[in-house]
């Protein structure tokens, strides 16, 4: 599980940074990529990255401002030409379906794979055997949502030495034991999963927020997350401006991370007024003063999401 930022600017792109998009690469977990927001130029950023559109499984749109979704029509149209033939599902606020379908209809774009658009009002937007994605409404000028990606707990490791003594080799019986089932050994003994299965590993939690002021919903979505991705549009000296435009400062992002008890904070969605490295470093320093484990999101850098190393007792 890795984060890869394709755009970290707010509002408009600059020569240094593109507008908002972040990928969650899940190659080991499910051999796919999930995308959160798709600002203009996102498909160009993907071409310069190790990501492949053919692996794209889900797109989650936080809100309908252009710097978060104007890249969708082009990306959807190009995906098939880059080997994408599997279904693609896009989640987002109400109005997303009309935007996408109108764009594709008027441009007479031909989509050669199954495309599904799911509009939501928060809550659980996706769940399968391995992941659950929850969403909640934040505080912005238009409906803006955050997403909490929860990796479900993983089964513990099987004790190969014990299994070998019972004459059990890798195969179907391994799978049953992994699921917690009891099996009959080749010697005719009943073997219970609890005898050979280690403690389960706690799944990771990644919270990615859309544009927002500081609010309780952000803290709830980020509760005990391994990673929080939070906008930091302004330095706190512009807190009044941030509030007026329904955005957050770097300090406010750090306060949310600290209150929520997250492990690591990534700052993103920087105002284009912050052009130099020195100006960006001020954003990080402001956040670090409140929450030490804060860092700036850098485009075209892979950030592994580590497990905290805790088993479930």
């Amino acid at each position: 599980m890795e984060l890869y930022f394709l755009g970290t600017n707010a509002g408009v792109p600059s020569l240094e940074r593109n507008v908002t998009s972040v990928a969650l690469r899940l190659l080991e977990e499910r051999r796919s990529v999930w995308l959160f927001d798709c600002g203009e130029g996102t498909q160009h950023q993907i071409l310069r990255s190790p990501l492949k559109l053919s692996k794209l499984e889900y797109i989650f749109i936080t809100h309908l401002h252009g710097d978060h979704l104007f890249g969708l029509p082009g990306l959807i149209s190009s995906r098939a030409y880059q080997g994408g033939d599997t279904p693609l599902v896009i989640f987002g606020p109400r109005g997303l379906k009309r935007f996408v379908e109108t764009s594709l209809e008027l441009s007479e774009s031909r989509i050669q794979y199954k495309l599904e658009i799911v509009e939501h009002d928060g809550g659980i937007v996706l769940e399968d055997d391995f992941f659950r994605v929850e969403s909640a409404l934040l505080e912005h000028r238009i409906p803006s949502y955050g997403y909490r990606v929860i990796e479900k707990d993983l089964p513990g490791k099987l004790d190969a030495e014990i299994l070998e003594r019972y004459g059990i080799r890798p195969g179907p019986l391994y799978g049953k034991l992994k699921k917690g089932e009891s099996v009959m050994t080749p010697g005719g003994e009943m073997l219970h999963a609890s005898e050979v299965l280690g403690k389960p590993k706690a799944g990771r939690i990644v919270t990615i927020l859309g544009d927002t002021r500081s609010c309780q919903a952000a803290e709830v979505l980020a509760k005990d997350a391994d990673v929080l991705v939070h906008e930091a549009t302004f330095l706190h000296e512009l807190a009044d401006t941030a509030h007026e435009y329904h955005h957050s400062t770097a300090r406010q992002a750090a306060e949310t991370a600290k209150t929520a008890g997250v492990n690591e904070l990534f700052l993103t969605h920087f105002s284009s007024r912050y052009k130099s490295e020195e100006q960006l470093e001020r954003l990080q320093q402001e956040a670090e003063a409140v929450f030490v484990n804060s860092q700036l999101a850098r485009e075209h850098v892979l950030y592994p999401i580590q497990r905290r190393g805790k088993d479930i007792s």
Side-chain angles (χ1 to χ4, degrees), residues 45-210:
Q45 293 287 78
I46 290 176
L47 290 173
R48 298 172 53 214
S49 80
L51 308 175
K52 294 182 178 180
L53 277 179
S54 60
K55 297 290 186 183
L56 187 59
E57 183 180 17
Y58 298 123
I59 301 176
F60 300 88
I61 299 298
T62 62
H63 64 294
L64 302 186
H65 276 154
D67 57 321
H68 293 257
L69 90 162
F70 278 173
L72 267 181
L75 183 145
I76 292 169
S77 300
S78 298
R79 182 173 179 261
Y81 296 103
Q82 297 184 35
D85 56 7
T86 55
L88 175 63
V89 184
I90 308 176
F91 300 89
R94 297 192 181 278
L96 175 64
K97 186 178 180 71
R98 182 157 59 98
F99 170 79
V100 173
E101 290 184 345
T102 300
S103 299
L104 298 179
E105 178 187 352
L106 294 180
S107 61
E108 298 188 8
S109 299
R110 297 180 180 179
I111 308 304
Q112 298 164 324
Y113 54 86
K114 181 180 179 181
L115 176 65
E116 183 179 1
I117 302 167
V118 179
E119 296 182 337
H120 67 81
D121 298 303
I124 297 174
V125 299
L126 171 68
E127 184 164 19
D128 59 23
D129 291 340
F130 305 101
F131 285 91
R132 183 170 74 254
V133 180
E134 301 172 352
S135 183
L137 184 65
L138 305 170
E139 288 189 18
H140 194 47
R141 291 192 294 116
I142 64 174
S144 178
Y145 291 85
Y147 293 96
R148 178 181 174 91
V149 179
I150 303 166
E151 179 187 34
K152 295 186 178 180
D153 298 336
L154 302 177
K157 187 177 180 180
L158 289 171
D159 192 319
E161 290 186 9
I162 295 178
L163 292 171
E164 188 174 353
R165 290 203 298 268
Y166 280 104
I168 298 177
R169 300 185 180 281
L173 294 183
Y174 265 53
K176 289 184 177 181
L177 289 166
K178 274 275 190 181
K179 294 178 182 178
E181 300 176 14
S182 299
V183 301
M184 189 69 70
T185 70
E189 299 179 64
M190 183 62 70
L191 182 64
H192 302 291
S194 59
E195 300 176 57
V196 293
L197 197 59
K199 293 179 180 178
K201 295 180 180 179
R204 289 160 288 188
I205 299 173
V206 178
T207 299
I208 299 175
L209 303 182

Side-chain angles (χ1 to χ4, degrees), residues 220-238:
V220 171
L221 286 172
K223 179 67 175 174
D224 296 328
D226 294 276
V227 169
L228 168 62
V229 178
H230 197 302
E231 70 136 285
T233 308
F234 300 107
L235 285 165
H236 204 69
E237 63 193 27
L238 294 175

